[in-house]
Amino acid sequence: MAQPEDDPAVRNDSNDDDEEEEIEEEEEENEDVEDEGEEEVKDLESQKAKLRNRFQNFFSRIQHESVPIRVHDVVIKGNTKTKDSLIEAETASLKEASTIQELFAASNDVNLRLQALEIFDSVKITLDSGPPELPGTANVIVDVVETRSPLLGEIGVFNKGEAASSTLEGTLKYKNIFGYGDLWDGALAYDCGHKAEMSAGVFLPRFKGLVTPVTARLFLQSQDCLKFSSFKERSLGLSLGLFSTRNHDLVCNLAWRTLTDPSRMASSSIRRQLGHGLLSSLKYTFKIDRRNSPLRPTNGFAFVSTTQIGGLAPDSRCLRFLRQELDLRCAIPLGFYRSALNLGISAGVVFPWGSGFSSMPSPLPERFFLGGNLSPVCTLGGPTSLWGFRTRGLGPTEPRRQFLSNSTNENTDSGRDYIGGDLALAAFADFSFDFPSKWLRAKGIHGHFLASAGNVEKLTENAYRNFSLRKFTESFRSSVGVGVVIPTNIFRMELNYCYILKKFGEDCGKSGFSFSFASPS
């Protein structure tokens, strides 16, 4: 019996049903996948929202209340040459923090201190949670990148408290030779006052666990004062920094000093001090500077007190003296065109000590000489500068040695020597303001009106008996002027027109235009 053939219509209907079932299953699977994706997205968004809320609550909490925390560990990374002990000493304050706020402040302070060592290209401090079994703790990760080039050369214009003019200085530094943050350098310096210096030194930020850095410097100085005071000075010595913090500084100086007169025309008081002398002294400086800028202060105040005692070595040629300097500055904002009034007053006194001190002269290089091309706004440290007067251009004078003219056989006047003073007082006022030009304001170029006054007087060799405060104030030299100030990254340049209000016959100062260069001292 023959088998019936398959019906094509029935076969096609069966295939269509299978395809529809497969399509429906795929659609159901896609819908399930979409549902699962939507659920994952919702879960992720929910987690983000929770995390965002936690951060908001955390930052809101630390802004309004102290959040207690304890530092469990400080992890140091990235140092290959630098000793761990150096970084650990600089980061010790992190473990003293007891709140989040204190930890943030300590981290910022540690970052600044590590960068100030000048041996790292970058410093990164990260706060991480402590071990799970120790709630309320944190780990601090200090990641440093050591400098690639340990050799560094610098050149710039600087001010030194004892100088009466700006100093051009070039320095070559080599960093971190032994891994203790040690900084070795050699320097050459020259200023407009015909003073040259060659020196080499080392800076150790943490020597043998000491809290403060230690510095040592060997120097050779030479200064030509023939034009105004008929002598040359040469010093070879060592300066040792014993104690240094943000506000305090203690330095020990030991130098062999030689005074000569190649011209053989020096006055009698200068001739008595020619020859060799030993300088052994301790110098203590207390400094507070709360001004918003050392180059153009518009707000704040500053105060410096420097005390120096010489004559510590048991040697008859040792220079015995006491020297005190005070300097007070104040910047008052006026509220228009970024204007400000800077006021300053500085004073200094030097006196010998020992048997018969009242009739002895003070050491010539330690006396006060007013004048020079420094800006009093930047010079912080004592009475040194006075607008409009030359370096060593005012104060007590003595006639130089007379010599016999070959043609007339008569004495010829050879001028006078400026011998400096034992008491100095100087004051200034500086009104600074922005120009209307936007381009000048963007460059920091501004104008200023200026006024200064000062005087020096001799007190030693029994001269204090004839000292009169009224006579001292009446003999003040004074000047006023106006100028343009051009600041740069490393120094301040002034083009001023100064008018001398009061001077005396032997003073070396005149009205006119002058340039001055200065950097923060």
Side-chain angles (χ1 to χ4, degrees):
M1 187 172 180
Q3 297 291 333
E5 296 180 357
D6 293 336
D7 189 352
V10 174
R11 188 167 57 248
N12 290 338
D13 291 340
S14 177
N15 292 336
D16 291 340
D17 292 340
D18 293 339
E19 290 177 358
E20 289 178 359
E21 290 177 358
E22 291 178 358
I23 293 173
E24 289 177 358
E25 291 177 355
E26 290 178 359
E27 290 178 352
E28 290 177 357
E29 291 178 356
N30 291 335
E31 289 177 356
D32 293 339
V33 171
E34 290 177 359
D35 292 340
E36 291 178 358
E38 291 177 357
E39 291 178 359
E40 291 179 357
V41 171
K42 290 180 180 179
D43 291 340
L44 185 60
E45 291 179 353
S46 177
Q47 292 177 2
K48 288 182 178 179
K50 291 179 179 178
L51 190 60
R52 190 183 304 113
N53 291 333
R54 288 179 61 185
F55 274 111
Q56 290 177 352
N57 294 335
F58 173 74
F59 285 114
S60 176
R61 184 183 175 191
I62 64 175
Q63 288 176 356
H64 296 90
E65 60 179 288
S66 296
V67 180
I69 199 170
R70 183 175 62 85
V71 176
H72 174 259
D73 192 15
V74 177
V75 182
I76 300 172
K77 296 182 178 180
N79 59 314
T80 56
K81 186 176 183 180
T82 307
K83 306 296 183 182
D84 285 344
S85 58
L86 173 64
I87 304 179
E88 289 171 355
E90 296 293 342
T91 59
S93 59
L94 293 173
K95 293 188 175 182
E96 299 175 0
S98 59
T99 64
I100 286 288
Q101 292 86 347
E102 292 179 1
L103 185 56
F104 284 161
S107 299
N108 183 63
D109 186 55
V110 167
N111 195 313
L112 294 176
R113 287 208 305 267
L114 289 175
Q115 291 182 358
L117 295 176
E118 300 183 18
I119 59 175
F120 301 119
D121 286 337
S122 67
V123 178
K124 182 180 179 182
I125 299 180
T126 306
L127 306 182
D128 196 5
S129 59
E133 64 272 13
L134 296 175
T137 62
N139 290 334
V140 182
I141 303 172
V142 181
D143 194 353
V144 298
V145 177
E146 294 179 334
T147 182
R148 295 181 178 179
S149 176
L151 193 63
L152 176 65
E154 294 179 346
I155 187 170
V157 179
F158 304 95
N159 289 347
K160 296 183 179 180
E162 68 277 6
S165 57
S166 301
T167 301
L168 178 64
E169 184 171 328
T171 306
L172 188 64
K173 299 179 180 180
Y174 198 93
K175 307 175 183 179
N176 209 21
I177 297 179
F178 300 109
Y180 292 99
D182 44 302
L183 183 62
W184 302 77
D185 73 275
L188 293 173
Y190 180 81
D191 71 11
C192 300
H194 302 285
K195 182 177 182 179
E197 178 179 348
M198 179 173 60
S199 62
V202 59
F203 170 81
L204 297 171
R206 296 280 183 173
F207 181 68
K208 297 294 184 179
L210 293 178
V211 179
T212 61
V214 174
T215 60
R217 189 158 209 87
L218 184 66
F219 61 87
L220 174 63
Q221 293 179 349
S222 177
Q223 185 170 11
D224 186 352
C225 303
L226 287 173
K227 184 175 181 180
F228 294 100
S229 301
S230 297
F231 76 90
K232 281 188 174 182
E233 176 189 355
R234 176 171 292 182
S235 298
L236 174 63
L238 175 68
S239 176
L240 182 63
L242 303 177
F243 182 81
S244 181
T245 63
R246 180 176 298 179
N247 302 119
H248 307 274
D249 191 66
L250 181 63
V251 179
C252 178
N253 295 309
L254 183 65
W256 185 252
R257 178 183 288 170
T258 304
L259 301 182
T260 59
D261 174 26
S263 67
R264 298 183 179 180
M265 296 172 59
S267 60
S268 59
S269 64
I270 289 181
R271 289 200 304 270
R272 288 197 298 267
Q273 297 209 28
L274 297 179
H276 302 291
L278 178 63
L279 173 66
S280 59
S281 67
L282 279 176
K283 186 176 182 180
Y284 168 71
T285 302
F286 173 74
K287 181 177 181 180
I288 297 177
D289 194 348
R290 302 290 173 80
R291 298 174 297 175
N292 59 343
S293 169
L295 289 175
R296 187 188 176 184
T298 58
N299 193 14
F301 71 95
F303 174 75
V304 174
S305 172
T306 303
T307 304
Q308 186 176 10
I309 176 171
L312 304 180
D315 190 288
S316 59
R317 291 168 293 184
C318 194
L319 304 175
R320 292 179 171 86
F321 64 91
L322 295 172
R323 196 173 196 264
Q324 178 65 52
E325 295 174 87
L326 300 172
D327 203 337
L328 178 63
R329 304 295 175 85
C330 179
I332 305 171
L334 301 179
F336 59 92
Y337 284 101
R338 204 188 166 202
S339 58
L341 179 63
N342 277 271
L343 302 174
I345 183 169
S346 56
V349 63
V350 59
F351 222 80
W353 66 271
S355 177
F357 71 94
S358 60
S359 59
M360 294 168 54
S362 58
L364 183 61
E366 307 303 331
R367 296 177 186 174
F368 296 96
F369 295 87
L370 289 183
N373 64 346
L374 289 183
S375 170
V377 178
C378 292
T379 310
L380 185 62
T384 54
S385 56
L386 209 63
W387 276 302
F389 290 87
R390 298 279 302 270
T391 302
R392 298 173 178 260
L394 59 92
T397 63
E398 282 189 3
R400 291 174 177 169
R401 177 184 291 178
Q402 306 294 318
F403 63 93
L404 196 64
S405 174
N406 294 329
S407 58
T408 62
N409 290 328
E410 295 180 355
N411 288 336
T412 302
D413 185 13
S414 54
R416 301 182 71 87
D417 281 334
Y418 292 86
I419 60 175
D422 307 306
L423 173 66
L425 182 63
F428 79 91
D430 181 277
F431 170 69
S432 62
F433 56 91
D434 275 346
F435 291 115
S437 169
K438 292 183 179 179
W439 185 85
L440 293 177
R441 290 199 303 269
K443 298 295 182 180
I445 301 174
H446 60 280
H448 70 150
F449 294 100
L450 51 96
S452 62
N455 194 13
V456 291
E457 190 64 61
K458 181 179 179 180
L459 296 179
T460 54
E461 297 179 291
N462 295 316
Y464 68 91
R465 296 177 179 177
N466 300 321
F467 176 78
S468 168
L469 183 60
R470 179 179 178 181
K471 183 180 178 181
F472 180 72
T473 55
E474 288 178 351
S475 59
F476 261 56
R477 285 75 164 174
S478 57
S479 62
V480 295
V482 62
V484 177
V485 181
I486 305 174
T488 68
N489 292 332
I490 57 175
F491 64 87
R492 165 189 172 117
M493 182 176 69
E494 295 182 6
L495 173 60
N496 299 322
Y497 178 82
C498 296
Y499 179 77
I500 305 297
L501 293 177
K502 188 176 182 180
K503 72 172 186 175
F504 295 91
E506 305 300 336
D507 293 341
C508 191
K510 65 178 181 178
S511 302
F513 288 96
S514 64
F515 275 100
S516 70
F517 299 86
S519 64
S521 57

